[in-house]
Amino acid sequence: MAQLPSRQEILDWVSAHPDATAKRDIAKAFGIKGAERIELKRLLKELESEGLLERRRRHYHDAERLPPVTVLQLLPPDRDGDIFAKPLEWQGEGPMPRILYAALKSDPAVAPGERILARLIETRGEDHDYQARLIRRIGTVQHRIVGIFRAAAGGSEAGGRILPIDKGQDKEWQVRPGDVHGAKSGELVEAEQVGPRGRIGLPVARIVERLGDPSAPRAVSLIAIHQHGIPDDFPDEAIAEADAARPATMKGREDLRPLPFITIDPSDARDRDDAVAAETHEDGGATVWVAIADVAHYVRPGSALDREARNRGNSTYFPDRVVPMLPDILSSDLCSLHQGVDRPVIAVRMRLDAQGNKTGHSFHRGMIRSAASLAYEQAQAAADGSPDDQTAPLLDAVIHPLWHAYGLLKAARQRRQPLELDLPERRIELTPDGRVKSVNFRERYDAHRLIEEFMVLANVAAAEELERLRRPLLYRVHEEPTVEKLDALREVAEASGFTLAKGQVLQTRHLNRLLEQAEGSEFDELINMTALRSMQQAYYNPENFGHFGLALRSYAHFTSPIRRYSDLIVHRALIMGHGWGDDGLSAQDIETLSETAQHISETERRSMAAERDTTDRYLAAYLADRVGAEFTGRISGVQRFGAFVRLDETGADGLLPIREIGREYFHYDPEAQVLMGSETGLEIGIGQRVTVRLTEAVPLTGGLMLELLELEGRPLPQGSGGGRGKGPMRKRATQARLAEIKRAQKRRRVRRQG
């Protein structure tokens, strides 16, 4: 009878014979037969459970080594143009092995993100662990799903299902036994689609990453990061470049340190990329300085840092964390304009006349030393006459000149009339362990508006300067509303008793006049919501189509290069135009400007969606303990399946399903955005006041379900909503308004047909 091999002997054999690792191969190698095979099986199971071996199908592999043939995902080229790849089935405890893709001349072209089946060759004494040779192409990244894994009745080894956490996706996904990736039932996982979706049966997914306990407080933003595919880990090459960065010197820079710059940011600011200073003139005008972190000095075109910054497009902000565009050593330290330390900047000096008009500007590459890092509340208190120990010495030389310049810009803004939508911003405050402590609306101070006006002025100056220098740039474009959306807004306005100018070129002042008419009326929120929905979405473009919302001819983002790649491109264009160094726009930057504009417009929308989903989940968690409570709110949207309600207290949006409105049939009019009951004539439309009961709050998806109790301060009519209330509803002003909308729409259709 052969002696059973030791644990180390088995591991050595598997490592030395990667092509012969089935249980029968191991048994044959050690002469194990009969009943001893049972003991061998037990020993292999033991090694597998400890993570020392991994079983794929019927073969065992050293968990710290890769099999000779495996599936890889190609990564973007590094700074030397080399393409590396990551293994999709890596199970080791140590660092992931570095795999260099060694393409032959006869191999087809491949792209970053693409998957290949490759043969691996171990390398010795190189900066990588394996070379990969192409066997065949598999394709690009499959559809990703984030959800809760539920193991089958026989345990995880028997496979299971994934319950998606996306509110818009209610279909489960099947996980086959070999695709579980070690996930345990109840864990949050990320998976990818396997093969095309069929018409019959559940779609099939393969788990690629375990994300942990879905109920953990800080899993909320993690869900959004994975769900929206936001890059969270920096490549080693980018980290190495950031770690090697050193503080900038005065070489080639103007000494702007004598100027009284300060930063004004939220109290919980994670980075400080803009500083301001001002000087008052005897003629009533002012000089305004805006200094912006010189990120281009550290992030050079074509570097690993540059590639990753472009890939991310922008930073993404969550209540509990930030996914930065740049590594922390840059975003929070070397590029951040901290108090009392020298920091490199690109600054713009702008001259204002006594009416607040910009009469000139000049750009400078220099070094500043911020005199103070203030919070908005702190700066406002000083301006209002209640300075603290830090701001008292700054009043005459810093605070008062800044507020004088702001007064000039406020007058100029009033003449320019940018769109004045009232859109309060929510602030979610968390406890130290990540749970929601409170939900409030951020208070707006003149200090906020001061910084906004200074930044707008600097962005205008940047666009105008690059136009003067005839250098390429990325404009921030906001086009005017479409004719169809304007017609819809005009009809809602007229039915509400207001007017919106017609028969002339629409300007923001016309919309502001409408908002002023509605302010304080029962239609205030309706008009604001409808006006917002009529707006186009802003985006980046190398061509200038103006900024409608700000009422500006030329506008570019210049003031936040720490968190927006668009601003970094504008900085490089300024460096190139002024001949300030070799870190300006590269030929590659210019050649790919259109692609960059499209890409970062998409990453911006991706971040907005992730931030919105995270806020929804935090709000659902905050309200979960108040299921059954009553809330007031307004109808914020109408669809065939029900209505959305924005709650007054938190700004959370909940769904009011048709079944919770009433038992009658509801007709949906998409043009009027109205649901109308077939029996009672009950009408549900945007902007109406409601009282609702919270019936369900699901933190995992961010979903809130509501039940309608009152509409416009009155109970529902009998026959709608289970007989709540008595008698038919009285005619309301909103009913007449909605009827008028329908008549106006009919008139418009007749005119078009004629």
Side-chain angles (χ1 to χ4, degrees):
M1 182 181 293
Q3 184 178 357
L4 199 67
S6 68
R7 292 159 55 95
Q8 190 58 50
E9 286 173 332
I10 291 176
L11 293 174
D12 291 343
W13 165 263
V14 169
S15 179
H17 302 84
D19 292 314
T21 57
K23 186 176 72 174
R24 65 174 180 274
D25 296 325
I26 299 172
K28 183 178 179 181
F30 291 99
I32 298 172
K33 300 178 181 179
E36 292 298 320
R37 284 175 173 266
I38 298 175
E39 282 300 306
L40 176 63
K41 182 178 180 181
R42 180 197 59 76
L43 186 54
L44 291 174
K45 280 276 190 184
E46 190 177 288
L47 292 169
E48 183 185 353
S49 67
E50 294 176 12
L52 298 173
L53 285 182
E54 180 193 3
R55 184 173 67 169
R56 295 192 183 93
R57 294 181 176 89
R58 297 187 177 183
H59 291 257
Y60 286 89
H61 302 272
D62 184 345
E64 296 299 323
R65 299 165 65 93
L66 291 168
V69 175
T70 191
V71 177
L72 306 175
Q73 182 176 336
L74 299 176
L75 303 173
D78 67 5
R79 63 190 302 176
D80 299 319
D82 292 329
I83 297 176
F84 285 83
K86 68 176 182 179
L88 295 183
E89 297 189 16
W90 172 247
Q91 297 290 326
E93 295 295 329
M96 185 178 291
R98 280 172 57 84
I99 304 171
L100 176 67
Y101 175 57
L104 302 176
K105 289 185 178 180
S106 57
D107 288 340
V110 292
E114 190 168 351
R115 294 172 174 220
I116 62 171
L117 183 66
R119 183 174 299 281
L120 299 184
I121 304 168
E122 284 198 66
T123 54
R124 306 286 183 184
E126 302 284 347
D127 66 346
H128 50 273
D129 304 297
Y130 296 90
Q131 279 192 4
R133 301 282 183 174
L134 178 69
I135 296 176
R136 70 172 184 272
R137 298 168 70 184
I138 296 175
T140 53
V141 177
Q142 297 292 321
H143 176 67
R144 290 288 177 108
I145 312 105
V146 177
I148 304 298
F149 175 63
R150 299 296 183 197
S156 296
E157 291 185 358
R161 295 187 179 187
I162 295 175
L163 284 65
I165 57 173
D166 192 337
K167 284 185 287 188
Q169 190 178 82
D170 56 2
K171 196 167 188 178
E172 296 180 2
W173 292 70
Q174 180 183 350
V175 181
R176 296 180 296 208
D179 294 332
V180 174
H181 197 76
K184 295 179 173 57
S185 192
E187 277 191 321
L188 185 67
V189 297
E190 183 177 17
E192 63 185 9
Q193 180 181 330
V194 177
R197 296 186 66 162
R199 294 186 177 182
I200 302 175
L202 296 177
V204 180
R206 171 180 177 272
I207 294 175
V208 295
E209 188 169 355
R210 298 163 61 188
L211 305 179
D213 181 4
S215 64
R218 298 196 181 275
V220 174
S221 53
L222 187 64
I223 290 171
I225 289 168
H226 283 266
Q227 188 176 10
H228 292 276
I230 295 173
D232 192 20
D233 294 322
F234 284 97
D236 291 341
E237 295 87 352
I239 292 294
E241 287 181 5
D243 287 345
R246 295 293 178 266
T249 65
M250 283 294 302
K251 184 179 179 180
R253 297 184 179 276
E254 295 182 47
D255 190 357
L256 305 177
R257 290 174 295 183
L259 293 172
F261 281 105
I262 64 169
T263 61
I264 306 177
D265 294 284
S267 56
D268 57 352
R270 295 175 169 98
D271 50 55
R272 300 178 184 275
D273 49 8
D274 57 84
V276 293
E279 177 188 353
T280 301
H281 299 158
E282 291 183 359
D283 62 2
T287 295
V288 171
W289 282 88
V290 173
I292 306 299
D294 189 356
V295 174
H297 172 78
Y298 297 101
V299 183
R300 301 294 179 108
S303 65
L305 278 169
D306 180 45
R307 288 195 301 274
E308 185 61 16
R310 184 184 184 276
N311 179 40
R312 295 179 179 222
N314 48 265
S315 298
T316 307
Y317 293 87
F318 301 106
D320 66 327
R321 72 181 77 197
V322 60
V323 180
M325 188 180 79
L326 301 173
D328 282 341
I329 193 171
L330 295 179
S331 60
S332 299
D333 186 11
L334 291 178
C335 293
S336 198
L337 308 182
H338 294 305
Q339 174 180 335
V341 294
D342 291 356
R343 286 290 183 260
V345 297
I346 294 180
V348 55
R349 178 183 183 272
M350 297 167 286
R351 173 68 187 256
L352 304 178
D353 64 20
Q355 287 72 47
N357 301 305
K358 180 169 71 70
T359 59
H361 66 253
S362 59
F363 280 83
H364 310 260
R365 200 173 197 183
M367 187 79 73
I368 72 164
R369 183 181 297 164
S370 173
S373 296
L374 305 183
Y376 284 115
E377 298 85 352
Q378 189 180 14
Q380 188 64 53
D384 291 342
S386 301
D388 58 18
D389 291 343
Q390 185 181 19
T391 56
L394 304 173
L395 281 178
D396 292 335
V398 181
I399 303 293
H400 290 159
L402 286 173
W403 254 258
H404 171 74
Y406 167 59
L408 300 178
L409 290 177
K410 188 163 60 171
R413 178 188 176 93
Q414 183 64 30
R415 292 194 300 274
R416 193 177 85 243
Q417 285 281 303
L419 190 59
E420 300 283 5
L421 286 172
D422 183 16
L423 302 172
E425 183 184 357
R426 280 175 300 199
R427 182 176 184 273
I428 296 176
E429 186 178 357
L430 303 178
T431 61
D433 65 351
R435 301 187 185 279
V436 181
K437 179 180 179 182
S438 64
V439 178
N440 300 299
F441 290 97
R442 292 184 187 272
E443 190 168 355
R444 291 270 298 168
Y445 299 104
D446 277 346
H448 290 92
R449 298 181 182 92
L450 179 151
I451 294 299
E452 288 170 2
E453 289 303 313
F454 280 26
M455 297 306 114
V456 167
L457 193 67
N459 288 335
V460 169
E464 292 177 349
E465 181 74 356
L466 290 173
E467 289 173 343
R468 182 186 70 82
L469 295 169
R470 298 186 179 181
R471 291 295 184 268
L473 73 147
L474 288 179
Y475 290 96
R476 182 63 168 177
V477 173
H478 184 226
E479 296 184 79
E480 66 181 33
T482 63
V483 172
E484 291 75 17
K485 289 188 174 182
L486 273 180
D487 283 345
L489 173 59
R490 185 173 290 109
E491 287 163 2
V492 171
E494 290 174 355
S496 303
F498 310 124
T499 57
L500 177 61
K502 192 176 182 180
Q504 56 184 300
V505 177
L506 180 76
Q507 296 182 351
T508 47
R509 69 169 181 268
H510 300 139
L511 293 172
N512 286 340
R513 200 168 297 136
L514 170 62
L515 296 171
E516 290 170 5
Q517 293 175 57
E519 188 176 0
S521 75
E522 60 178 313
F523 304 117
D524 189 347
E525 194 160 351
L526 168 66
I527 297 300
N528 268 274
M529 285 182 179
T530 311
L532 177 62
R533 284 182 169 86
S534 72
M535 292 297 108
Q536 302 268 53
Q537 191 166 29
Y539 62 97
Y540 296 103
N541 199 304
E543 294 186 61
N544 184 18
F545 300 109
H547 199 294
F548 175 79
L550 291 174
L552 293 169
R553 184 189 65 82
S554 297
Y555 193 68
H557 274 166
F558 158 74
T559 54
S560 296
I562 289 177
R563 60 185 179 91
R564 290 189 308 226
Y565 193 77
S566 58
D567 304 53
L568 178 57
I569 290 292
V570 169
H571 277 229
R572 287 177 180 166
L574 288 167
I575 293 168
M576 177 191 190
H578 288 279
W580 283 333
D582 60 359
D583 47 356
L585 277 182
S586 67
Q588 180 73 7
D589 283 336
I590 298 171
E591 183 180 343
T592 60
L593 207 56
S594 293
E595 291 86 347
T596 296
Q598 182 177 351
H599 171 71
I600 62 178
S601 296
E602 291 169 355
T603 61
E604 179 186 48
R605 289 191 284 272
R606 177 182 68 184
S607 292
M608 290 170 63
E611 291 165 358
R612 183 175 60 248
D613 286 353
T614 299
T615 297
D616 288 346
R617 290 190 174 100
Y618 272 123
L619 290 173
Y622 180 65
L623 294 171
D625 294 335
R626 300 176 66 183
V627 170
E630 296 182 9
F631 298 89
T632 59
R634 283 188 185 271
I635 303 294
S636 59
V638 177
Q639 294 293 332
R640 190 178 305 278
F641 50 81
F644 292 96
V645 176
R646 180 159 298 164
L647 304 181
D648 295 332
E649 182 181 327
T650 61
D653 285 301
L655 174 62
L656 189 61
I658 285 286
R659 67 177 183 272
E660 296 297 346
I661 298 175
R663 296 189 178 93
E664 61 186 318
Y665 174 78
F666 278 85
H667 170 72
Y668 172 56
D669 187 331
E671 289 191 34
Q673 286 286 287
V674 170
L675 285 167
M676 181 177 294
S678 59
E679 298 176 17
T680 63
L682 178 70
E683 293 174 342
I684 308 289
I686 293 176
Q688 290 177 317
R689 298 288 308 171
V690 294
T691 300
V692 295
R693 178 181 290 116
L694 180 62
T695 59
E696 187 178 0
V698 186
L700 196 60
T701 64
L704 300 176
M705 302 292 282
L706 307 170
E707 175 190 358
L708 183 60
L709 301 179
E710 292 183 353
L711 182 68
E712 299 284 13
R714 297 179 176 87
L716 299 189
Q718 196 167 17
S720 179
R724 286 183 290 271
K726 295 181 179 181
M729 246 178 141
R730 290 179 298 175
K731 294 291 183 181
R732 309 181 311 276
T734 50
Q735 203 165 8
R737 169 174 58 86
L738 295 168
E740 175 58 28
I741 291 175
K742 295 176 73 66
R743 287 193 294 273
Q745 288 170 339
K746 185 177 180 180
R747 290 194 298 269
R748 185 175 55 154
R749 285 193 293 268
V750 169
R751 286 197 301 271
R752 286 179 178 172
Q753 290 169 357

